[in-house]
Amino acid sequence: MPVDVSFVLNGKPVTVTADPLERLLDLLRVELGLTGTKEGCGEGECGACAVIVDGELADSCLVAVGSLQGSTVETIEGFRETERFRVLEKAYADAGAVQCGFCTPGMIMASEALLRKNPRPDAEAVREGLSGNLCRCTGYGMIVEAVLDAAEKGSGSW
Amino acid sequence: MKPDAVILAAGLSSRAGANKLLFPLGGRTVIEASIEPFLSTCGRIIVVGGARFEELKSALARLSPGVEVVLNDDYLYGMFSSVKAGIRRVGSDRFFIHPGDCPLVPASVPERLLSVRADIVLPVSGGRTGHPVLIDSRLIPEILATDAGSNLRAFIASHGFETVEVDSPGILLDIDTRGDLEKAERNLSREQGRTVADALARSVPKVDNPEKLSGRAGYIADMPFPGMLHAKTVRSTRPRARILSIRLPEMPGGYFTVDRNDIPGRNRVHVILDDQPVFAEETVNYIGEPIMLVVGPSKAKVLELASAVRIEYGDLAAVFTVEEAEASGAPIVGGENNRFAEYRYGRGEATRVIGEAASGVSGSRVFADEISTGYQEHVYLEPQGLVGLYDRERDRIEIHGSMQCPYYIRNALAIAFGWEPGRFRVVQTCTGGGFGGKEEYPSLLACQAAAAAYKTGKPVALILDRAEDIECTTKRHPARIGFRTAVDPEGRVTAMEVEVRLDAGASLGLSGVVLQRTMFTAPGVYRVPNLAVHGVALATNSVPAGAFRGFGAPQATMAIEIHMDHIASSLGMSPLEFRKRNMARKGDLTSTGGTYAFDVPLEALAERVIASSGYRAKRVEYASACLARGTTAACNGLAPLRGIGMSFFLHGCGFTGSGERDHIKAKVRLARREDGTVDILAANTDMGQGLLTTFRKIVASALGLPLERVSFEKPDTDRVPDSGPTVASRSIMIDGKLLEDAAIELKSRWDEPGEIVVERNYRHPDRIRWDDSSFIGDAYPTHSWGVNIVEVAVDPVSFEITVTGVWAAYDVGHAVDERIMRGQVEGGILQGLGYATIEVMEKSGGRLKQRTMTDYVIPTSLDAPPIESSFIDNPYPDGPMGAKGAGELPLVGAAPALASAVENALQARVSRIPLTPEYLMKAVRHAG
């Protein structure tokens, strides 16, 4: 039974009529055309579909649309318009942290979620903060360097 | 008073083609690099231009503001006229004269010259005078009065000069050709002792960073095609059975099924033997084998319909393991007596030598091992997926999607449809990882999606979900590799017999070729005078195994390296000493009797990682720490056991033997457009490894153009020639070289008007000799090399392994881009460490036990150890910028080094991977 759900998506209020059990991932990708969020496993293991819901990193394949009433949802499409994204974008490029790119939007959202809570993390905290996001290409070292670099260069942004 | 510097930049660059002064050189241009050493020591920099003056002036205005650029109208009269034009402007009491194409002078050289008081001072290196020259301004009138037909060199010689020894070969090198530039940089790099030598290997930002970071990159599941239908595959639930009947649910309007009757040509996927059906026929041969598609507009409805298809099976006797496949009386499920492929090769008299050693006559000993390795799943983050389209008007089929090899797909479609290949168009979309998994498997998906599009007349998306991808697509072959090795009293291997068994699954696919690489790699990096290798790829009723980064070599390398450790320990030698005694050197025979024609830098690679890891001391310390603890029962509550281990390895670069010459026949094109940009037309794919960037870098460097003026789009078979597949660490070495050669030709024709297209076809180097029937000769054009050291901590109670450090040194020829190469290394190592530890995939009754990413785990950021990697520069003459194969090598050496470290920690032998806690517990009990 479809229901109306109102929430804030990338800073703008939206109301959708959807099956409450529909996955947020499908709402974003199929209904709203926000394809920057990726589906890698559909079971909350890989983090390719990570978005930020009410300030917390969440795998959108595990979030039911019906649970979003009154929530705030941020995806890569909104975050890429910010200054903090530009800091992370440069740091990722400088570190060589992007290979196939499929994990990248989720990894960026995880980096943002981490830096909001801990603006000056050490390497261990970065590894912990990204541990829900799998990457099969890089071996993670260059991604960790990117986040540390962003924290330093973007000091004061988070 | 600071001296002035006159930089001569008026020449025509006639030998280098393009304006050599603007060649890129480590992120700047040759002229900038030539000016740089004078910036701190000199007052004014006077650059004298002539030919292409405006180009020079605007480049310098942008790049080096503050530099004076003056025009020498008489530049055609030669360099001396530019000297005169320049020194007329000098206002200091002394001045330098320096060519604008001499970019490798250290800033210390001008300073050293200034320390000498003389009319004319020249630097000397290696007994030869070089640049720049320092001249007293009192001589200016005399120089200006010298006859125009003379030159500065003659003036200096007649006047007399002092010299300063600077020991910088850079002062001798000016740049007339691209070759000079490369040579010069390498010389300089050696002098400076840099790890990765050539400045051209410095890193550029990857060209696809912006679209990938912002989420705008188009992967196939992100792409809308108007009117697109969704497809879901109905698959076999039986390992081997006859299909007795298929009952379909009632299909609403607009919903279809697509099966073998919808394949217009041959219902076969073209790989090598075409032994795999596109859709199952009378029988199914593995769980997950595709039987039909259900296709329609609503994805949810399609899933519902697909799950309502009822299939009645009549089960047939099946084989699940290689032992069962080989047993007498086993049901024949594929190939000849369940052998899809069987080969032998070798030399000398291995059996006789081993027999004599076993009898103990010569003081020699024989050591035996059997090492087994498990499945490995690729887990590219983007699951497999393609969209098929049918263009009714032009009667053509299009395939768009995630893939490594567009032309493999086109050729497979031509056979499945019985059409001319030109009636298919295959377009790669942004591909989220491949690792070999998207080499041959997309050919199957493409035939299915194309048949569905042809039947329905609409675009059809066939995109796998993760569980389907894990259960039904190819994986790394499980292997069992046995050795019998004779070693003489001096610790030298005299003979080796190797038996290789691969579990190929239900169809041959690429297994024969994988088997060859396992067999050719089985003796590792060692000299084996008498060798006999036998291998079989066996048919089982399991999902077909296929290409995976390393392609049979990781299994062989794991086996030989742990075998060598076992022999060393039995002999009471250190693993390092035993390896050094037996490793091959330049000029030695390869496993197949070819020649290691180039440097074998194992010694140098080993030195690096041994020194930085502290291997020697740790190896002894960790062993005695373990032994001191006694049995594991006493280990309860104790700190982790630590261990350190090493591996020496090689990887044969590119296709085996004559593959490039006889089968692939690669072709590439470069097109210079009217606007001066250059388009790379090649079928190679970037699946994350960086080819979109590295190919452009190779071409831009050879042309002396900025990277932005060279473009390389994802391949579309309507646009690009067949450059071969993106596999086997071949793209840069083979196609990159063709592109570099094409760029050199294009440069020589640069002044021709209009569009220029240069094509290059693969030419087999004469030195590579190979006999495909006997497996004798150079199995690979060359080899890349590596030495790895891995350090672990093993919990003595849970037997959980934590990797605490990795030290890795490689020879990949010359790295085209350091940062991209580091990414390949770290990603490859972590895949190898996962392969050896936590990546467990087993089967039971033909069904995989691990079918999701919850069950089949790959390393996370918390599992990734610190990795210290370095490269030695060993340029390969047949590769672009000296590069050879690099993509697979880093995966190959990690697992055996880890296994060796675990043996060191536990003082117990292991003979398989993955090293699960349950297995280690047994290994320790056995050792105790």
Side-chain angles (χ1 to χ4, degrees):
Chain A
M1 199 57 185
V3 296
D4 283 355
V5 182
S6 298
F7 60 100
V8 176
L9 175 62
N10 292 327
K12 295 190 190 98
V14 292
T15 300
V16 297
T17 306
D19 178 340
L21 288 180
E22 181 178 359
R23 305 184 302 172
L24 171 58
L25 174 62
D26 294 324
L27 177 75
L28 293 172
R29 288 183 55 84
V30 183
E31 262 105 295
L32 304 175
L34 299 177
T35 55
T37 303
K38 308 297 178 193
E39 175 161 5
C41 72
E43 55 179 2
E45 287 291 337
C46 77
C49 67
V51 298
I52 297 176
V53 178
D54 296 330
E56 298 286 337
L57 191 68
D59 288 331
S60 62
C61 72
L62 298 183
V63 175
V65 172
S67 72
L68 289 174
Q69 182 61 41
S71 286
T72 303
V73 176
E74 296 160 81
T75 73
I76 187 70
E77 286 85 357
F79 181 58
R80 73 187 175 206
E81 303 303 327
T82 66
E83 273 310 308
R84 290 197 305 274
F85 171 74
R86 261 169 279 288
V87 174
L88 277 166
E89 182 188 33
K90 171 128 191 3
Y92 266 65
D94 288 347
V98 181
Q99 287 194 35
C100 88
F102 201 77
C103 76
T104 305
M107 208 57 96
I108 290 282
M109 297 312 284
S111 307
E112 161 71 3
L114 165 71
L115 291 172
R116 273 193 211 170
K117 290 191 172 164
N118 181 359
R120 288 314 291 268
D122 61 13
E124 217 28 59
V126 174
R127 287 183 180 275
E128 180 73 44
L130 302 181
S131 62
N133 292 67
L134 298 177
C135 166
R136 190 59 154 169
C137 298
T138 64
Y140 303 102
M142 295 158 99
I143 297 177
V144 173
E145 282 174 22
V147 178
L148 291 172
D149 183 47
E152 190 182 324
K153 301 256 173 66
S155 180
S157 309
W158 278 278
Chain B
M1 185 180 207
K2 279 188 169 184
D4 293 346
V6 175
I7 310 293
L8 306 173
L12 276 171
S13 302
S14 53
R15 275 181 287 175
N19 192 347
K20 65 183 181 181
L21 299 181
L22 302 183
F23 278 171
L25 181 61
R28 45 202 180 142
T29 56
V30 167
I31 180 76
E32 282 177 286
S34 302
I35 291 171
E36 199 175 78
F38 302 98
L39 291 175
S40 58
T41 32
C42 293
R44 293 159 61 215
I45 310 281
I46 302 155
V47 180
V48 186
R52 304 177 195 242
F53 181 70
E54 288 308 320
E55 198 182 1
L56 177 74
K57 199 170 169 183
S58 64
L60 284 176
R62 181 166 50 89
L63 302 169
S64 306
V67 173
E68 298 167 40
V69 188
V70 303
L71 175 65
N72 169 24
D73 286 323
D74 296 330
Y75 72 92
L76 287 174
Y77 291 101
M79 194 184 284
F80 201 34
S81 68
S82 295
V83 171
K84 290 180 177 179
I87 63 178
R88 282 194 189 100
R89 311 243 169 173
V90 167
S92 54
D93 54 3
R94 292 202 288 174
F95 63 94
F96 289 104
I97 293 185
H98 189 67
D101 62 354
C102 184
L104 300 175
V105 174
S108 59
V109 170
E111 286 168 23
R112 295 281 309 280
L113 297 186
L114 286 168
S115 68
V116 176
R117 265 285 154 200
D119 280 357
I120 300 178
V121 189
L122 263 60
V124 173
S125 181
R128 294 168 60 200
T129 58
H131 305 294
V133 52
L134 176 64
I135 300 176
D136 194 300
S137 296
R138 286 183 291 110
L139 300 181
I140 289 176
E142 202 176 324
I143 297 171
L144 289 175
T146 305
D147 179 44
S150 182
N151 59 48
L152 188 64
R153 192 180 297 266
F155 175 84
I156 292 169
S158 66
H159 187 86
F161 57 90
E162 296 282 319
T163 59
V164 178
E165 182 65 43
V166 294
D167 192 28
S168 297
I171 67 164
L172 305 173
L173 300 162
D174 45 10
I175 305 303
D176 284 327
T177 63
R178 272 290 293 116
D180 286 348
L181 189 59
E182 286 182 25
K183 195 170 64 192
E185 286 230 296
R186 256 177 238 132
N187 289 349
L188 184 72
S189 307
R190 281 206 194 96
E191 178 203 29
Q192 295 175 342
R194 288 188 7 221
T195 310
V196 180
D198 198 324
L200 284 167
R202 277 179 213 148
S203 312
V204 301
K206 284 182 76 181
V207 296
D208 49 357
N209 277 335
E211 60 170 32
K212 285 178 170 174
L213 281 156
S214 64
R216 290 187 176 92
Y219 300 85
I220 190 63
D222 304 335
M223 295 185 160
F225 291 86
M228 187 172 80
L229 306 179
H230 300 275
K232 176 70 182 176
T233 313
V234 177
R235 300 178 180 280
S236 167
T237 56
R238 304 300 170 91
R240 186 161 179 252
R242 208 176 296 285
I243 296 176
L244 302 177
S245 71
I246 297 178
R247 198 151 43 89
L248 300 177
E250 195 176 324
M251 302 294 277
Y255 289 81
F256 305 84
T257 58
V258 180
D259 64 18
R260 64 183 170 119
N261 300 310
D262 297 303
I263 301 296
R266 269 188 88 204
N267 182 34
R268 283 289 183 275
V269 186
H270 174 59
V271 181
I272 290 175
L273 279 189
D274 304 357
D275 67 337
Q276 188 176 16
V278 178
F279 290 110
E281 298 177 343
E282 286 77 20
T283 59
V284 289
N285 289 296
Y286 65 96
I287 292 171
E289 180 168 355
I291 297 170
M292 62 167 62
L293 302 183
V294 175
V295 177
S298 154
K299 197 171 170 183
K301 187 72 190 169
V302 165
L303 295 180
E304 183 193 315
L305 291 168
S307 64
V309 174
R310 292 287 169 264
I311 298 173
E312 195 189 343
Y313 297 98
D315 288 325
L316 299 168
V319 298
F320 300 123
T321 64
V322 293
E323 290 77 12
E324 288 174 27
E326 283 190 308
S328 65
I332 304 305
V333 302
E336 206 173 296
N337 290 325
N338 290 333
R339 290 166 182 237
F340 278 131
E342 178 164 15
Y343 308 114
R344 287 173 201 281
Y345 80 93
R347 62 165 168 272
E349 299 177 87
T351 310
R352 183 183 63 78
V353 175
I354 290 170
E356 284 173 11
S359 69
V361 183
S362 53
S364 293
R365 296 170 67 186
V366 177
F367 301 92
D369 257 316
E370 190 174 65
I371 312 296
S372 58
T373 61
Y375 277 119
Q376 188 177 22
E377 168 62 26
H378 305 86
V379 201
Y380 28 69
L381 261 280
E382 180 205 24
Q384 303 248 10
L386 299 169
V387 172
L389 297 93
Y390 177 53
D391 179 346
R392 203 175 290 281
E393 231 161 77
R394 300 174 62 205
D395 199 19
R396 292 186 83 206
I397 297 274
E398 286 186 21
I399 292 287
H400 297 250
S402 188
M403 64 182 73
Q404 291 179 223
C405 312
Y407 273 92
Y408 275 8
I409 291 179
R410 200 178 79 143
N411 296 340
L413 289 167
I415 286 171
F417 274 67
W419 293 3
E420 282 299 305
R423 285 173 68 189
F424 301 94
R425 175 183 179 208
V426 182
V427 185
Q428 188 218 6
T429 53
C430 196
T431 296
F435 316 116
K438 294 171 184 172
E439 173 173 347
E440 76 276 34
Y441 197 80
S443 297
L444 168 63
L445 295 177
C447 293
Q448 297 174 338
Y454 189 54
K455 180 169 184 173
T456 61
K458 298 204 162 122
V460 176
L462 179 54
I463 293 170
L464 303 189
D465 64 34
R466 179 61 65 181
E468 226 179 344
D469 195 309
I470 292 180
E471 187 164 18
C472 308
T473 68
T474 51
K475 11 217 125 279
R476 190 185 301 291
H477 293 75
R480 186 163 285 217
I481 302 176
F483 295 93
R484 289 215 308 150
T485 302
V487 182
D488 73 13
E490 280 75 50
R492 285 190 188 83
V493 172
T494 53
M496 187 182 282
E497 284 180 337
V498 189
E499 278 286 332
V500 177
R501 280 181 183 73
L502 297 185
D503 182 348
S507 58
L508 169 68
L510 291 168
S511 296
V513 200
V514 172
L515 175 63
Q516 288 175 18
R517 193 178 278 269
T518 308
M519 291 172 66
F520 300 158
T521 310
V525 300
Y526 306 104
R527 261 187 308 221
V528 183
N530 298 283
L531 177 68
V533 183
H534 170 239
V536 284
L538 291 151
T540 60
N541 293 108
S542 334
V543 61
F548 193 150
R549 192 178 197 176
F551 206 76
Q555 294 94 318
T557 307
M558 172 63 211
I560 181 68
E561 284 299 283
I562 209 72
H563 178 52
M564 294 303 272
D565 267 19
H566 292 173
I567 298 175
S569 117
S570 298
L571 292 172
M573 285 176 78
S574 85
L576 176 60
E577 185 49 40
F578 185 59
R579 281 176 171 78
K580 283 189 172 178
R581 199 160 293 185
N582 286 286
M583 70 192 183
R585 290 166 207 278
K586 182 177 177 177
D588 281 345
L589 295 182
T590 67
S591 61
T592 53
T595 307
Y596 289 116
F598 304 100
D599 275 350
V600 176
L602 289 167
E603 189 105 42
L605 295 172
E607 265 172 35
R608 285 183 184 211
V609 289
I610 286 165
S612 53
S613 67
Y615 172 85
R616 281 197 179 88
K618 285 178 178 174
R619 179 91 184 174
V620 175
E621 180 199 328
Y622 294 159
S624 43
C626 177
L627 293 170
R629 285 196 191 179
T631 67
T632 51
C635 293
N636 277 333
L638 291 180
L641 291 157
R642 308 200 62 192
I644 193 164
M646 65 164 41
S647 63
F648 281 31
F649 52 97
L650 53 69
H651 195 71
C653 304
F655 268 92
T656 307
S658 49
E660 289 288 347
R661 185 187 61 201
D662 298 341
H663 302 296
I664 303 301
K665 300 173 183 155
K667 187 192 290 280
V668 303
R669 289 192 198 108
L670 281 183
R672 202 277 312 266
R673 308 299 182 197
E674 302 254 9
D675 64 0
T677 60
V678 175
D679 220 354
I680 296 174
L681 300 169
N684 306 79
T685 51
D686 190 326
M687 56 199 117
Q689 85 282 34
L691 222 47
L692 286 174
T693 305
T694 43
F695 266 14
R696 284 163 76 164
K697 193 166 170 178
I698 288 166
V699 170
S701 298
L703 286 167
L705 286 178
L707 206 62
E708 306 77 61
R709 283 176 60 190
V710 179
S711 66
F712 177 36
E713 301 298 325
K714 294 177 192 76
D716 167 349
T717 56
D718 274 6
R719 232 178 125 251
V720 302
D722 186 355
S723 322
T726 303
V727 304
S729 306
R730 67 176 287 281
S731 289
I732 284 185
M733 183 177 80
I734 301 290
D735 293 307
K737 180 63 179 170
L738 295 178
L739 287 168
E740 186 181 60
D741 289 348
I744 289 166
E745 181 186 331
L746 181 59
K747 192 164 73 171
S748 73
R749 295 170 52 189
W750 193 260
D751 293 334
E752 291 175 19
E755 183 167 302
I756 310 172
V757 176
V758 179
E759 186 171 292
R760 270 285 187 282
N761 292 287
Y762 177 73
R763 288 215 339 250
H764 206 59
D766 291 336
R767 64 177 172 81
I768 303 173
R769 294 178 195 282
W770 176 248
D771 177 10
D772 225 358
S773 54
S774 64
F775 289 166
I776 290 175
D778 295 303
Y780 304 101
T782 190
H783 298 82
S784 290
W785 302 90
V787 175
N788 282 179
I789 287 179
V790 170
E791 189 178 33
V792 299
V794 185
D795 187 291
V797 179
S798 70
F799 290 99
E800 191 185 6
I801 299 167
T802 304
V803 180
T804 53
V806 177
W807 295 263
Y810 302 95
D811 161 23
V812 294
H814 175 75
V816 172
D817 191 280
E818 287 173 27
R819 188 164 45 197
I820 288 175
M821 194 56 230
R822 187 185 151 206
Q824 287 297 296
V825 160
E826 297 191 357
I829 286 175
L830 197 60
Q831 280 180 359
L833 297 175
Y835 180 44
T837 54
I838 60 174
E839 295 188 28
V840 180
M841 182 172 277
E842 298 158 326
K843 59 183 174 181
S844 163
R847 181 181 293 277
L848 295 173
K849 292 193 203 165
Q850 292 78 14
R851 297 197 295 278
T852 67
M853 284 175 72
T854 311
D855 304 327
Y856 186 85
V857 295
I858 61 170
T860 71
S861 51
L862 288 171
D863 301 312
I867 295 171
E868 189 181 300
S869 62
S870 66
F871 308 93
I872 62 161
D873 203 40
N874 185 15
Y876 171 55
D878 291 325
M881 302 163 109
K884 52 189 181 184
E888 293 166 288
L889 179 77
L891 188 146
V892 170
L898 179 135
S900 175
V902 170
E903 289 197 339
N904 181 229
L906 299 177
Q907 290 299 295
R909 287 194 178 183
V910 300
S911 57
R912 68 153 237 198
I913 52 169
L915 297 170
T916 59
E918 298 85 345
Y919 173 76
L920 290 182
M921 192 181 293
K922 280 185 206 149
V924 165
R925 286 215 185 111
H926 184 71

